[in-house]
Amino acid sequence: MQETQVKSLPVKAGSSRGVARVLDKLRASIDSKNFYEAHQMYRTLYFRFVSQGKYDDVLELLYDGALTMLEHEQYSSGADLGLLIIQTLEKAGIQVAGSEQWMKRLTELIGKIKPSIVDRETLLEKAMKWSGSLVMSPTGHPLMHQLYAQILYREGDLTHARHHFALARDGTSCGFLLIEISSTKGFTSEIDLFVAHIVLQQLALKEPTVAADTFTTYCKFHSGIACTDPPFAFPLLNFLFFLLQLVEQNNRKFATFRGLCELYKPSLERDPSYEKYLQKIGVKYFDGSRYEQRNILFSELLQQFFIDLEEDELEEGTSVHGEVD
């Protein structure tokens, strides 16, 4: 394997002579494959450059060093330098440009660490947290999730890739991934379950457009469905279709939402995890917290559900195809 050379950094005379000596030792350590010593040299340079506010220089040095370590399968050292990159980005704040570039670089480093190495998860967690701070999101930046999901997909880890695609705001890619998971890992009777969990999760995260894209892509291109409008052969797909329609309404009514959930209760009970998502959806879209204590008869809910659908049909000039299963 071709060795990665340490990049030359601008070193001023006088006060930076010590840095120049450390750089020389660093190059010698890498050439002799003394990676432990090289790792310590990188850390020494990190503290010196950060103390001088040379964030751009230290970021490039650490990135180069992390790549060098990982290419030589020094996973712990490479991950540690990756963590120092994140610390530097946090310290520098707005002084460092190119946040998107650093998300790509961090994901590249994560992808070079074997999945079985514990340090990979640590680096991923810190990188996600930093990326989330850029958009005030506790779950991480959508781009970071998308990049990592692509790595997991290439590694064949479709289950975890599904989770990150769901948070990437990329409904189309998520839909195609779910089709592959359903086709390779699921039974025909579970076709609806694969997409339902993700669509409900996306709605709970207040991403209705992404949820709609995921649902449409999945239903259109899945060989076991091959259509985008009801009636579907799977009742749960009918539920998702109508729920997405309700979410898009301007005049959302909690009674209608509750009626829809009651109507498809047998299908929804197939997976207990749906309940927590539906509770969040009820609160976020239908102000459900105002109605939790009300005792509403099921017949009233069902009647209101069909009234609302008829009103939408008249207002939009469209019709709902087929019967509700």
Side-chain angles (χ1 to χ4, degrees):
M1 181 181 297
Q2 185 178 0
E3 295 186 9
T4 304
Q5 298 297 318
V6 181
K7 293 181 179 179
S8 298
L9 296 176
V11 180
K12 297 180 181 179
S15 61
S16 295
R17 288 177 182 173
V19 173
R21 286 195 296 269
V22 175
L23 281 171
D24 289 338
K25 290 181 180 179
L26 175 56
R27 295 186 184 95
S29 297
I30 292 176
D31 290 341
S32 62
K33 292 184 168 36
N34 188 343
F35 297 113
Y36 173 79
E37 184 176 279
H39 181 200
Q40 300 309 309
M41 294 297 102
Y42 277 116
R43 291 187 64 87
T44 298
L45 290 169
Y46 160 76
F47 288 112
R48 293 194 183 186
F49 279 119
V50 168
S51 67
Q52 298 170 15
K54 297 180 178 179
Y55 298 121
D56 290 332
D57 287 345
V58 74
L59 284 170
E60 291 298 329
L61 179 70
L62 291 172
Y63 173 66
D64 179 68
L67 284 177
T68 299
M69 293 296 178
L70 295 176
E71 286 171 358
H72 289 87
E73 299 185 352
Q74 304 297 307
Y75 298 119
S76 293
S77 296
D80 180 65
L81 296 182
L83 292 174
L84 292 182
I85 290 175
I86 296 171
Q87 290 182 25
T88 305
L89 290 168
E90 292 173 341
K91 289 178 183 293
I94 60 174
Q95 297 183 47
V96 174
S99 297
E100 181 175 325
Q101 178 192 35
W102 282 107
M103 280 188 275
K104 292 179 179 179
R105 285 185 166 187
L106 286 170
T107 309
E108 177 190 9
L109 297 179
I110 293 168
K112 290 182 178 295
I113 303 175
K114 292 181 179 180
S116 58
I117 304 297
V118 177
D119 300 282
R120 169 164 158 162
E121 190 66 26
T122 302
L123 181 58
L124 172 66
E125 181 181 341
K126 296 293 185 181
M128 282 293 180
K129 183 178 180 180
W130 166 76
S131 72
S133 69
L134 301 175
V135 290
M136 303 297 291
S137 171
T139 60
H141 197 290
L143 176 61
M144 195 78 188
H145 283 289
Q146 183 183 53
L147 294 170
Y148 186 57
Q150 291 169 352
I151 289 175
L152 293 171
Y153 179 81
R154 290 194 295 269
E155 293 175 347
D157 188 352
L158 302 184
T159 301
H160 287 97
R162 176 184 65 177
H163 168 73
H164 288 281
F165 267 124
L167 298 173
R169 297 179 185 171
D170 183 357
T172 301
S173 296
C174 189
F176 280 116
L177 177 67
L178 291 172
I179 291 172
E180 183 168 348
I181 295 175
S182 171
S183 302
T184 58
K185 297 181 179 295
F187 298 100
T188 302
S189 60
E190 299 174 332
I191 286 178
D192 52 344
L193 297 179
F194 284 97
V195 69
H197 186 276
I198 295 299
V199 168
L200 292 177
Q201 181 183 9
Q202 290 168 333
L203 286 175
L205 292 170
K206 295 224 68 173
E207 297 288 349
T209 301
V210 178
D213 288 344
T214 299
F215 178 79
T216 300
T217 301
Y218 185 83
C219 293
K220 181 178 181 179
F221 294 101
H222 197 300
S223 60
I225 306 173
C227 64
T228 57
D229 294 318
F232 296 101
F234 299 88
L236 195 54
L237 296 181
N238 291 320
F239 169 79
L240 293 175
F241 177 88
F242 291 125
L243 177 59
L244 289 168
Q245 297 297 310
L246 291 180
V247 166
E248 291 300 321
Q249 290 180 2
N250 292 325
N251 184 24
R252 305 187 191 108
K253 298 178 181 178
F254 181 73
T256 309
F257 169 70
R258 282 283 301 275
L260 183 64
C261 292
E262 289 291 335
L263 191 62
Y264 286 95
K265 187 175 181 180
S267 296
L268 294 172
E269 288 179 340
R270 293 168 63 197
D271 189 335
S273 69
Y274 294 162
E275 183 178 357
K276 65 179 180 181
Y277 293 127
L278 290 171
Q279 288 177 351
K280 292 180 180 179
I281 291 169
V283 172
K284 292 183 178 182
Y285 295 95
F286 304 96
D287 199 14
S289 58
R290 294 173 51 193
Y291 301 93
E292 288 179 353
Q293 303 302 320
R294 289 184 57 186
N295 185 19
I296 305 175
L297 295 176
F298 172 69
S299 59
E300 296 176 355
L301 298 174
L302 188 60
Q303 182 181 17
Q304 185 62 53
F305 171 68
F306 286 111
I307 290 174
D308 288 345
L309 287 181
E310 289 177 3
E311 289 177 352
D312 282 348
E313 181 179 336
L314 292 174
E315 291 176 2
E316 300 178 10
T318 58
S319 61
V320 178
H321 304 285
E323 301 293 332
V324 178
D325 287 346

